[in-house]
Amino acid sequence: MKTATGSALGALAIIIGAQAAQAQPAVRVDTQMFVERVSTDVNGRTRRILASADRVAPGDQLIVMVHWRNQGGEPLRDYALVRPLPKGVELDPSDPALQVSVDGGVRWGRMAQLWLPTPLGGVRRAVPADITHIRWTLPDSVPPGQTGRLSYRATIR
Protein backbone atom coordinates (compact mmCIF):
# COMPACT_ATOMS: atom_id res chain seq x y z
CA MET A 1 0.00 0.00 0.00
CA LYS A 2 1.42 3.35 -1.00
CA THR A 3 1.30 6.26 1.35
CA ALA A 4 0.46 9.82 0.42
CA THR A 5 4.19 10.47 0.51
CA GLY A 6 4.68 7.57 -1.92
CA SER A 7 2.26 9.33 -4.28
CA ALA A 8 4.27 12.52 -3.84
CA LEU A 9 7.34 10.57 -4.91
CA GLY A 10 5.53 9.54 -8.11
CA ALA A 11 4.81 13.20 -8.81
CA LEU A 12 8.46 13.95 -8.01
CA ALA A 13 9.58 11.39 -10.61
CA ILE A 14 7.30 12.99 -13.22
CA ILE A 15 8.73 16.43 -12.42
CA ILE A 16 12.31 15.17 -12.70
CA GLY A 17 11.50 13.45 -16.02
CA ALA A 18 9.99 16.66 -17.34
CA GLN A 19 13.04 18.61 -16.18
CA ALA A 20 15.33 16.25 -18.11
CA ALA A 21 13.24 16.77 -21.24
CA GLN A 22 13.66 20.55 -20.90
CA ALA A 23 17.47 20.40 -20.78
CA GLN A 24 19.44 22.02 -23.57
CA PRO A 25 19.59 19.74 -26.63
CA ALA A 26 23.39 19.48 -26.49
CA VAL A 27 23.39 18.22 -22.90
CA ARG A 28 21.64 15.02 -21.87
CA VAL A 29 20.64 14.90 -18.21
CA ASP A 30 19.43 11.84 -16.29
CA THR A 31 18.50 11.87 -12.62
CA GLN A 32 18.48 9.05 -10.07
CA MET A 33 17.16 9.29 -6.51
CA PHE A 34 18.01 7.11 -3.54
CA VAL A 35 17.01 7.11 0.11
CA GLU A 36 19.90 6.91 2.55
CA ARG A 37 19.14 4.25 5.15
CA VAL A 38 21.20 4.04 8.33
CA SER A 39 21.34 0.80 10.28
CA THR A 40 23.56 -0.95 12.78
CA ASP A 41 25.22 -4.25 11.85
CA VAL A 42 25.68 -7.25 14.17
CA ASN A 43 29.00 -5.80 15.41
CA GLY A 44 27.37 -2.51 16.41
CA ARG A 45 28.87 -0.51 13.54
CA THR A 46 26.79 2.06 11.71
CA ARG A 47 26.10 1.19 8.06
CA ARG A 48 24.77 3.59 5.46
CA ILE A 49 23.13 2.15 2.37
CA LEU A 50 21.37 3.69 -0.60
CA ALA A 51 17.95 2.18 -1.18
CA SER A 52 15.39 2.67 -3.91
CA ALA A 53 13.42 5.87 -3.47
CA ASP A 54 10.10 4.31 -4.50
CA ARG A 55 8.73 4.77 -0.96
CA VAL A 56 9.66 7.78 1.10
CA ALA A 57 8.34 9.47 4.20
CA PRO A 58 8.85 12.90 5.74
CA GLY A 59 12.32 13.17 7.22
CA ASP A 60 13.91 10.67 4.80
CA GLN A 61 17.33 11.69 3.52
CA LEU A 62 17.61 11.64 -0.28
CA ILE A 63 20.71 11.39 -2.40
CA VAL A 64 19.99 12.77 -5.87
CA MET A 65 22.49 11.97 -8.63
CA VAL A 66 22.47 14.04 -11.80
CA HIS A 67 24.30 12.39 -14.71
CA TRP A 68 25.12 14.63 -17.66
CA ARG A 69 26.67 14.16 -21.09
CA ASN A 70 27.70 16.65 -23.79
CA GLN A 71 25.91 15.15 -26.80
CA GLY A 72 26.70 18.07 -29.08
CA GLY A 73 29.44 18.29 -31.63
CA GLU A 74 31.07 21.33 -30.02
CA PRO A 75 32.74 21.82 -26.64
CA LEU A 76 30.61 23.51 -23.98
CA ARG A 77 32.19 26.59 -22.47
CA ASP A 78 31.04 28.27 -19.25
CA TYR A 79 28.02 25.98 -19.06
CA ALA A 80 25.84 25.99 -15.96
CA LEU A 81 23.64 22.98 -15.28
CA VAL A 82 20.42 24.24 -13.66
CA ARG A 83 17.81 22.02 -12.00
CA PRO A 84 14.55 23.10 -10.35
CA LEU A 85 14.26 21.69 -6.86
CA PRO A 86 11.17 19.45 -6.59
CA LYS A 87 8.38 20.58 -4.27
CA GLY A 88 8.36 18.85 -0.90
CA VAL A 89 12.14 18.50 -0.83
CA GLU A 90 14.52 20.62 1.24
CA LEU A 91 18.07 20.88 -0.06
CA ASP A 92 21.18 20.51 2.08
CA PRO A 93 23.07 23.57 0.76
CA SER A 94 26.46 22.67 2.30
CA ASP A 95 28.14 21.66 -1.01
CA PRO A 96 30.55 24.52 -1.89
CA ALA A 97 30.23 23.88 -5.65
CA LEU A 98 26.46 24.32 -5.52
CA GLN A 99 24.78 27.65 -6.12
CA VAL A 100 21.14 28.16 -5.22
CA SER A 101 18.29 30.47 -6.14
CA VAL A 102 15.31 31.39 -3.99
CA ASP A 103 13.49 33.35 -6.69
CA GLY A 104 13.01 30.91 -9.56
CA GLY A 105 16.52 31.24 -10.98
CA VAL A 106 16.74 35.04 -11.28
CA ARG A 107 19.53 35.54 -8.69
CA TRP A 108 22.17 32.98 -7.66
CA GLY A 109 24.51 32.59 -4.72
CA ARG A 110 25.24 30.78 -1.48
CA MET A 111 22.57 30.76 1.24
CA ALA A 112 24.36 33.46 3.27
CA GLN A 113 24.15 35.84 0.28
CA LEU A 114 20.42 35.53 -0.44
CA TRP A 115 17.61 37.58 1.06
CA LEU A 116 13.84 37.61 0.54
CA PRO A 117 11.24 40.33 1.08
CA THR A 118 8.85 40.00 4.02
CA PRO A 119 5.12 40.80 3.91
CA LEU A 120 5.68 43.97 5.97
CA GLY A 121 8.23 45.45 3.56
CA GLY A 122 11.42 44.28 5.23
CA VAL A 123 13.84 41.55 4.22
CA ARG A 124 14.95 38.28 5.78
CA ARG A 125 17.73 35.80 5.14
CA ALA A 126 16.77 32.93 2.88
CA VAL A 127 16.60 29.47 4.46
CA PRO A 128 16.95 26.05 2.78
CA ALA A 129 13.14 25.71 2.55
CA ASP A 130 13.11 28.77 0.22
CA ILE A 131 15.38 27.21 -2.44
CA THR A 132 13.69 26.90 -5.84
CA HIS A 133 16.63 26.03 -8.14
CA ILE A 134 20.17 24.68 -7.93
CA ARG A 135 23.06 25.04 -10.34
CA TRP A 136 26.58 23.83 -10.88
CA THR A 137 29.11 25.40 -13.22
CA LEU A 138 30.76 22.70 -15.33
CA PRO A 139 34.51 22.73 -16.09
CA ASP A 140 35.83 25.51 -18.34
CA SER A 141 35.53 23.40 -21.49
CA VAL A 142 33.51 20.22 -21.82
CA PRO A 143 34.47 18.32 -25.01
CA PRO A 144 31.85 16.43 -27.03
CA GLY A 145 31.05 13.06 -25.48
CA GLN A 146 32.32 13.94 -22.00
CA THR A 147 30.16 12.78 -19.13
CA GLY A 148 29.97 13.66 -15.48
CA ARG A 149 27.97 13.12 -12.34
CA LEU A 150 26.84 15.65 -9.76
CA SER A 151 24.91 14.92 -6.62
CA TYR A 152 23.12 16.65 -3.83
CA ARG A 153 21.48 15.73 -0.53
CA ALA A 154 17.95 16.67 0.37
CA THR A 155 15.30 15.84 2.96
CA ILE A 156 11.66 14.98 2.32
CA ARG A 157 9.52 17.56 4.13
Side-chain angles (χ1 to χ4, degrees):
M1 183 168 117
K2 286 194 174 188
T3 63
T5 306
S7 298
L9 182 61
L12 185 64
I14 290 169
I15 291 169
I16 288 175
Q19 293 168 359
Q22 294 173 0
Q24 281 193 358
V27 177
R28 179 179 171 179
V29 179
D30 296 309
T31 305
Q32 293 179 297
M33 284 193 318
F34 301 94
V35 177
E36 183 179 46
R37 303 277 184 217
V38 179
S39 63
T40 304
D41 67 13
V42 294
N43 296 320
R45 291 180 289 202
T46 301
R47 297 285 181 204
R48 295 181 184 278
I49 60 166
L50 296 182
S52 171
D54 58 354
R55 297 189 78 176
V56 297
D60 279 350
Q61 298 293 311
L62 292 178
I63 306 293
V64 181
M65 294 185 191
V66 179
H67 303 270
W68 57 268
R69 176 184 173 88
N70 179 0
Q71 293 191 148
E74 299 291 324
L76 296 173
R77 297 194 193 311
D78 301 319
Y79 184 80
L81 183 60
V82 176
R83 307 299 290 165
L85 193 65
K87 298 280 187 216
V89 173
E90 187 172 306
L91 178 74
D92 173 0
S94 62
D95 180 351
L98 190 65
Q99 293 185 331
V100 298
S101 174
V102 294
D103 57 9
V106 175
R107 292 176 299 138
W108 295 94
R110 302 287 300 150
M111 286 303 301
Q113 302 167 323
L114 300 174
W115 296 79
L116 288 170
T118 64
L120 298 176
V123 293
R124 67 170 175 83
R125 261 192 208 276
V127 296
D130 297 321
I131 297 172
T132 61
H133 290 73
I134 55 178
R135 103 175 157 183
W136 299 266
T137 302
L138 298 184
D140 291 337
S141 179
V142 178
Q146 182 170 340
T147 62
R149 180 179 63 201
L150 304 164
S151 65
Y152 63 92
R153 293 175 145 299
T155 304
I156 297 291
R157 288 189 256 181

